[in-house]
Short mmCIF file of all heavy atoms in Angstrom, two decimals:
data_model
loop_
_atom_site.label_atom_id
_atom_site.label_comp_id
_atom_site.label_asym_id
_atom_site.label_seq_id
_atom_site.Cartn_x
_atom_site.Cartn_y
_atom_site.Cartn_z
N LEU A 1 0.78 -1.21 0.03
CA LEU A 1 -0.01 -0.03 0.01
C LEU A 1 0.91 1.25 0.00
O LEU A 1 0.46 2.27 -0.57
CB LEU A 1 -0.93 0.03 1.24
CG LEU A 1 -2.01 -1.15 1.24
CD1 LEU A 1 -2.87 -1.02 2.55
CD2 LEU A 1 -2.94 -0.93 0.02
N ARG A 2 2.04 1.20 0.68
CA ARG A 2 2.86 2.35 0.67
C ARG A 2 3.41 2.61 -0.80
O ARG A 2 3.51 3.76 -1.25
CB ARG A 2 4.06 2.13 1.55
CG ARG A 2 5.10 3.33 1.73
CD ARG A 2 4.37 4.56 2.33
NE ARG A 2 5.31 5.62 2.62
CZ ARG A 2 4.96 6.83 3.01
NH1 ARG A 2 3.66 7.15 3.18
NH2 ARG A 2 5.90 7.72 3.31
N GLY A 3 3.79 1.53 -1.42
CA GLY A 3 4.20 1.60 -2.75
C GLY A 3 3.14 2.10 -3.71
O GLY A 3 3.35 2.73 -4.79
N ALA A 4 1.84 1.92 -3.39
CA ALA A 4 0.70 2.35 -4.20
C ALA A 4 0.39 3.87 -3.84
O ALA A 4 -0.59 4.34 -4.37
CB ALA A 4 -0.49 1.49 -3.96
N GLY A 5 1.09 4.49 -2.92
CA GLY A 5 0.93 5.84 -2.61
C GLY A 5 0.07 6.23 -1.44
O GLY A 5 -0.27 7.35 -1.16
N HIS A 6 -0.33 5.24 -0.64
CA HIS A 6 -1.24 5.53 0.58
C HIS A 6 -0.32 6.04 1.67
O HIS A 6 0.81 5.78 1.76
CB HIS A 6 -1.84 4.19 0.98
CG HIS A 6 -2.86 3.67 0.05
ND1 HIS A 6 -4.15 4.25 -0.11
CD2 HIS A 6 -2.82 2.68 -0.89
CE1 HIS A 6 -4.82 3.60 -1.08
NE2 HIS A 6 -4.09 2.65 -1.55
N SER A 7 -1.00 6.92 2.48
CA SER A 7 -0.30 7.56 3.60
C SER A 7 -0.03 6.55 4.71
O SER A 7 -0.68 5.51 4.83
CB SER A 7 -1.15 8.64 4.13
OG SER A 7 -2.26 8.21 4.85
N LEU A 8 0.95 6.91 5.62
CA LEU A 8 1.25 6.08 6.75
C LEU A 8 0.06 5.96 7.67
O LEU A 8 -0.15 4.98 8.33
CB LEU A 8 2.50 6.64 7.50
CG LEU A 8 3.82 6.55 6.71
CD1 LEU A 8 4.86 7.18 7.48
CD2 LEU A 8 4.16 5.12 6.29
N THR A 9 -0.71 7.07 7.80
CA THR A 9 -1.87 7.07 8.66
C THR A 9 -2.87 6.04 8.16
O THR A 9 -3.41 5.24 8.96
CB THR A 9 -2.49 8.50 8.70
OG1 THR A 9 -1.49 9.40 9.16
CG2 THR A 9 -3.77 8.55 9.57
N ARG A 10 -3.09 6.06 6.95
CA ARG A 10 -4.12 5.06 6.35
C ARG A 10 -3.61 3.62 6.49
O ARG A 10 -4.41 2.76 6.82
CB ARG A 10 -4.40 5.42 4.84
CG ARG A 10 -5.30 4.38 4.16
CD ARG A 10 -5.72 4.89 2.79
NE ARG A 10 -6.73 5.90 2.98
CZ ARG A 10 -7.41 6.43 1.89
NH1 ARG A 10 -7.14 5.93 0.69
NH2 ARG A 10 -8.29 7.39 2.06
N ILE A 11 -2.30 3.43 6.30
CA ILE A 11 -1.72 2.08 6.44
C ILE A 11 -1.93 1.59 7.87
O ILE A 11 -2.23 0.50 8.17
CB ILE A 11 -0.25 2.08 6.00
CG1 ILE A 11 -0.25 2.30 4.49
CG2 ILE A 11 0.39 0.77 6.33
CD1 ILE A 11 1.22 2.50 3.89
N SER A 12 -1.49 2.51 8.88
CA SER A 12 -1.61 2.16 10.26
C SER A 12 -3.07 1.82 10.69
O SER A 12 -3.30 0.99 11.53
CB SER A 12 -1.07 3.20 11.13
OG SER A 12 0.35 3.27 10.97
N LEU A 13 -4.02 2.54 10.12
CA LEU A 13 -5.40 2.30 10.53
C LEU A 13 -5.89 0.85 10.11
O LEU A 13 -6.89 0.47 10.71
CB LEU A 13 -6.25 3.34 9.92
CG LEU A 13 -6.17 4.72 10.55
CD1 LEU A 13 -7.02 5.76 9.76
CD2 LEU A 13 -6.65 4.73 11.98
N THR A 14 -5.19 0.20 9.24
CA THR A 14 -5.63 -1.15 8.96
C THR A 14 -5.41 -2.12 10.11
O THR A 14 -5.97 -3.15 10.12
CB THR A 14 -4.82 -1.67 7.72
OG1 THR A 14 -3.39 -1.75 8.03
CG2 THR A 14 -5.04 -0.88 6.40
N LYS A 15 -4.55 -1.71 11.10
CA LYS A 15 -4.41 -2.47 12.26
C LYS A 15 -5.73 -2.60 13.06
O LYS A 15 -5.92 -3.57 13.82
CB LYS A 15 -3.38 -1.89 13.16
CG LYS A 15 -1.97 -1.77 12.55
CD LYS A 15 -1.29 -3.06 12.33
CE LYS A 15 0.14 -2.87 11.71
NZ LYS A 15 0.84 -4.15 11.46
N VAL A 16 -6.64 -1.65 12.88
CA VAL A 16 -7.93 -1.72 13.56
C VAL A 16 -8.61 -2.96 13.18
O VAL A 16 -9.54 -3.54 13.89
CB VAL A 16 -8.76 -0.40 13.31
CG1 VAL A 16 -10.12 -0.54 13.90
CG2 VAL A 16 -7.97 0.74 13.87
N LEU A 17 -8.42 -3.41 11.90
CA LEU A 17 -9.14 -4.60 11.38
C LEU A 17 -8.76 -5.92 12.10
O LEU A 17 -9.36 -6.94 11.83
CB LEU A 17 -8.85 -4.68 9.84
CG LEU A 17 -9.28 -3.48 9.06
CD1 LEU A 17 -8.79 -3.72 7.58
CD2 LEU A 17 -10.74 -3.24 9.14
N TYR A 18 -7.68 -5.94 12.99
CA TYR A 18 -7.41 -7.00 13.86
C TYR A 18 -8.46 -7.16 15.01
O TYR A 18 -8.37 -8.11 15.63
CB TYR A 18 -6.03 -6.85 14.44
CG TYR A 18 -4.86 -7.15 13.52
CD1 TYR A 18 -3.77 -6.29 13.47
CD2 TYR A 18 -4.73 -8.37 12.84
CE1 TYR A 18 -2.73 -6.59 12.66
CE2 TYR A 18 -3.69 -8.67 12.04
CZ TYR A 18 -2.61 -7.75 12.05
OH TYR A 18 -1.54 -8.01 11.19
N PHE A 19 -9.34 -6.17 15.12
CA PHE A 19 -10.21 -6.16 16.28
C PHE A 19 -11.04 -7.42 16.57
O PHE A 19 -11.27 -7.74 17.63
CB PHE A 19 -11.13 -4.91 16.21
CG PHE A 19 -11.35 -4.28 17.55
CD1 PHE A 19 -10.32 -3.61 18.07
CD2 PHE A 19 -12.59 -4.43 18.17
CE1 PHE A 19 -10.43 -3.03 19.42
CE2 PHE A 19 -12.75 -3.77 19.40
CZ PHE A 19 -11.73 -3.11 20.05
N PRO A 20 -11.44 -8.15 15.52
CA PRO A 20 -12.04 -9.48 15.81
C PRO A 20 -11.32 -10.33 16.76
O PRO A 20 -11.91 -11.13 17.46
CB PRO A 20 -12.27 -10.11 14.41
CG PRO A 20 -12.38 -8.93 13.43
CD PRO A 20 -11.42 -7.90 14.02
N TRP A 21 -10.06 -10.28 16.72
CA TRP A 21 -9.26 -11.10 17.61
C TRP A 21 -9.37 -10.58 19.10
O TRP A 21 -9.33 -11.48 20.01
CB TRP A 21 -7.76 -11.02 17.28
CG TRP A 21 -7.45 -11.73 15.95
CD1 TRP A 21 -7.35 -11.18 14.71
CD2 TRP A 21 -7.12 -13.07 15.77
NE1 TRP A 21 -7.07 -12.10 13.84
CE2 TRP A 21 -6.87 -13.28 14.49
CE3 TRP A 21 -6.94 -14.16 16.68
CZ2 TRP A 21 -6.54 -14.57 13.89
CZ3 TRP A 21 -6.61 -15.39 16.12
CH2 TRP A 21 -6.42 -15.63 14.80
N VAL A 22 -9.72 -9.32 19.28
CA VAL A 22 -10.00 -8.88 20.63
C VAL A 22 -11.35 -9.33 21.14
O VAL A 22 -11.58 -9.64 22.34
CB VAL A 22 -9.90 -7.34 20.66
CG1 VAL A 22 -10.25 -6.81 22.03
CG2 VAL A 22 -8.43 -6.84 20.25
N LEU A 23 -12.28 -9.45 20.17
CA LEU A 23 -13.66 -9.77 20.50
C LEU A 23 -13.90 -11.25 20.52
O LEU A 23 -15.09 -11.60 20.81
CB LEU A 23 -14.63 -9.08 19.48
CG LEU A 23 -14.49 -7.53 19.44
CD1 LEU A 23 -15.49 -6.99 18.33
CD2 LEU A 23 -14.94 -6.92 20.79
N LYS A 24 -12.99 -12.04 20.05
CA LYS A 24 -13.33 -13.48 19.93
C LYS A 24 -13.70 -14.19 21.22
O LYS A 24 -14.43 -15.16 21.15
CB LYS A 24 -12.10 -14.25 19.26
CG LYS A 24 -10.90 -14.46 20.33
CD LYS A 24 -9.87 -15.31 19.64
CE LYS A 24 -8.86 -15.68 20.71
NZ LYS A 24 -7.88 -16.70 20.21
N VAL A 25 -13.25 -13.60 22.34
CA VAL A 25 -13.75 -14.15 23.62
C VAL A 25 -15.31 -14.14 23.77
O VAL A 25 -15.91 -14.96 24.54
CB VAL A 25 -13.07 -13.41 24.85
CG1 VAL A 25 -13.65 -11.97 24.88
CG2 VAL A 25 -13.30 -14.13 26.08
N LEU A 26 -15.96 -13.27 23.01
CA LEU A 26 -17.40 -13.17 23.00
C LEU A 26 -18.13 -14.40 22.39
O LEU A 26 -19.12 -14.80 22.78
CB LEU A 26 -17.92 -11.85 22.43
CG LEU A 26 -17.37 -10.60 23.11
CD1 LEU A 26 -17.91 -9.38 22.40
CD2 LEU A 26 -17.74 -10.53 24.57
N TRP A 27 -17.48 -14.80 21.25
CA TRP A 27 -18.08 -15.96 20.56
C TRP A 27 -17.41 -17.23 20.68
O TRP A 27 -17.83 -18.28 20.19
CB TRP A 27 -18.28 -15.68 19.06
CG TRP A 27 -17.01 -15.22 18.36
CD1 TRP A 27 -15.98 -15.96 18.00
CD2 TRP A 27 -16.72 -13.91 17.91
NE1 TRP A 27 -15.07 -15.18 17.28
CE2 TRP A 27 -15.44 -13.90 17.21
CE3 TRP A 27 -17.42 -12.64 17.98
CZ2 TRP A 27 -14.80 -12.78 16.70
CZ3 TRP A 27 -16.81 -11.54 17.34
CH2 TRP A 27 -15.54 -11.61 16.78
N ALA A 28 -16.41 -17.26 21.59
CA ALA A 28 -15.73 -18.55 21.87
C ALA A 28 -16.70 -19.57 22.48
O ALA A 28 -16.62 -20.76 22.03
CB ALA A 28 -14.49 -18.31 22.83
N PRO A 29 -17.59 -19.23 23.45
CA PRO A 29 -18.51 -20.29 23.97
C PRO A 29 -19.33 -20.89 22.89
O PRO A 29 -19.72 -22.10 22.97
CB PRO A 29 -19.30 -19.49 25.04
CG PRO A 29 -18.45 -18.38 25.39
CD PRO A 29 -17.68 -17.94 24.16
N LEU A 30 -19.81 -20.07 21.83
CA LEU A 30 -20.60 -20.60 20.81
C LEU A 30 -19.89 -21.70 20.07
O LEU A 30 -20.41 -22.77 19.75
CB LEU A 30 -21.06 -19.56 19.85
CG LEU A 30 -21.89 -19.94 18.65
CD1 LEU A 30 -23.22 -20.45 19.02
CD2 LEU A 30 -22.06 -18.72 17.72
N VAL A 31 -18.62 -21.40 19.72
CA VAL A 31 -17.82 -22.41 18.96
C VAL A 31 -17.55 -23.71 19.79
O VAL A 31 -17.55 -24.79 19.34
CB VAL A 31 -16.48 -21.76 18.52
CG1 VAL A 31 -15.60 -22.79 17.78
CG2 VAL A 31 -16.76 -20.53 17.59
N ASP A 32 -17.32 -23.36 21.08
CA ASP A 32 -16.93 -24.51 21.96
C ASP A 32 -18.09 -25.43 22.26
O ASP A 32 -17.94 -26.61 22.55
CB ASP A 32 -16.37 -23.91 23.25
CG ASP A 32 -15.58 -24.99 24.00
OD1 ASP A 32 -14.86 -25.79 23.39
OD2 ASP A 32 -15.54 -24.95 25.27
N ARG A 33 -19.34 -24.94 22.25
CA ARG A 33 -20.51 -25.67 22.75
C ARG A 33 -21.50 -26.06 21.67
O ARG A 33 -22.46 -26.76 21.90
CB ARG A 33 -21.21 -24.85 23.79
CG ARG A 33 -20.39 -24.59 25.05
CD ARG A 33 -21.15 -23.68 26.11
NE ARG A 33 -20.28 -23.38 27.23
CZ ARG A 33 -20.09 -24.12 28.27
NH1 ARG A 33 -20.77 -25.23 28.34
NH2 ARG A 33 -19.29 -23.74 29.27
N THR A 34 -21.35 -25.58 20.42
CA THR A 34 -22.23 -25.97 19.37
C THR A 34 -21.48 -26.56 18.25
O THR A 34 -20.36 -26.24 17.94
CB THR A 34 -23.08 -24.85 18.89
OG1 THR A 34 -22.08 -23.86 18.26
CG2 THR A 34 -23.84 -24.17 19.96
N GLY A 35 -22.03 -27.62 17.57
CA GLY A 35 -21.53 -28.20 16.42
C GLY A 35 -20.23 -29.05 16.83
O GLY A 35 -19.94 -29.30 17.95
N THR A 36 -19.46 -29.37 15.79
CA THR A 36 -18.18 -30.11 15.91
C THR A 36 -17.06 -29.21 15.38
O THR A 36 -17.24 -28.31 14.64
CB THR A 36 -18.18 -31.38 15.18
OG1 THR A 36 -18.33 -31.17 13.81
CG2 THR A 36 -19.38 -32.27 15.58
N LYS A 37 -15.87 -29.55 15.83
CA LYS A 37 -14.70 -28.84 15.44
C LYS A 37 -14.42 -28.94 13.95
O LYS A 37 -14.01 -28.06 13.28
CB LYS A 37 -13.42 -29.27 16.19
CG LYS A 37 -13.57 -28.95 17.72
CD LYS A 37 -13.68 -27.49 18.04
CE LYS A 37 -13.72 -27.20 19.49
NZ LYS A 37 -14.95 -27.58 20.14
N ARG A 38 -14.80 -30.18 13.38
CA ARG A 38 -14.66 -30.37 11.96
C ARG A 38 -15.50 -29.35 11.16
O ARG A 38 -15.04 -28.69 10.21
CB ARG A 38 -14.93 -31.80 11.56
CG ARG A 38 -14.56 -32.08 10.12
CD ARG A 38 -15.23 -33.32 9.60
NE ARG A 38 -14.84 -34.56 10.48
CZ ARG A 38 -13.80 -35.27 10.20
NH1 ARG A 38 -12.95 -34.94 9.23
NH2 ARG A 38 -13.50 -36.26 11.03
N CYS A 39 -16.78 -29.28 11.62
CA CYS A 39 -17.66 -28.39 10.92
C CYS A 39 -17.20 -26.89 10.96
O CYS A 39 -17.25 -26.19 10.00
CB CYS A 39 -19.11 -28.47 11.46
SG CYS A 39 -19.85 -30.02 11.12
N TRP A 40 -16.74 -26.50 12.18
CA TRP A 40 -16.29 -25.06 12.27
C TRP A 40 -15.04 -24.85 11.40
O TRP A 40 -14.91 -23.80 10.78
CB TRP A 40 -16.01 -24.79 13.70
CG TRP A 40 -17.27 -24.46 14.60
CD1 TRP A 40 -17.85 -25.23 15.47
CD2 TRP A 40 -18.01 -23.25 14.54
NE1 TRP A 40 -18.95 -24.72 15.99
CE2 TRP A 40 -19.11 -23.40 15.47
CE3 TRP A 40 -18.02 -22.13 13.74
CZ2 TRP A 40 -20.05 -22.49 15.62
CZ3 TRP A 40 -18.91 -21.13 13.99
CH2 TRP A 40 -19.95 -21.34 14.87
#
C-alpha cells in the first residue's frame, strides 16, 4: 500500500481490522458448545 501511494496514517489504521481477535472471547463459547470442530 505504501508503494501504491497510501499515507502512513491510512496504512496504520488497517491495524484496527485485527479487532475481531480482541472480540473472539465473546463468541468462543458458541464455537466450543455447538457443532463439531470439523464443521467449524
Side-chain angles (χ1 to χ4, degrees):
L1 293 176
R2 183 64 170 174
H6 293 281
S7 69
L8 295 177
T9 300
R10 176 170 285 189
I11 293 171
S12 289
L13 286 176
T14 62
K15 300 292 184 180
V16 175
L17 301 176
Y18 281 131
F19 218 69
W21 290 92
V22 177
L23 301 177
K24 73 171 187 172
V25 67
L26 301 179
W27 51 75
L30 176 66
V31 177
D32 199 36
R33 297 177 183 275
T34 61
T36 63
K37 297 299 181 289
R38 188 195 301 273
C39 290
W40 282 106

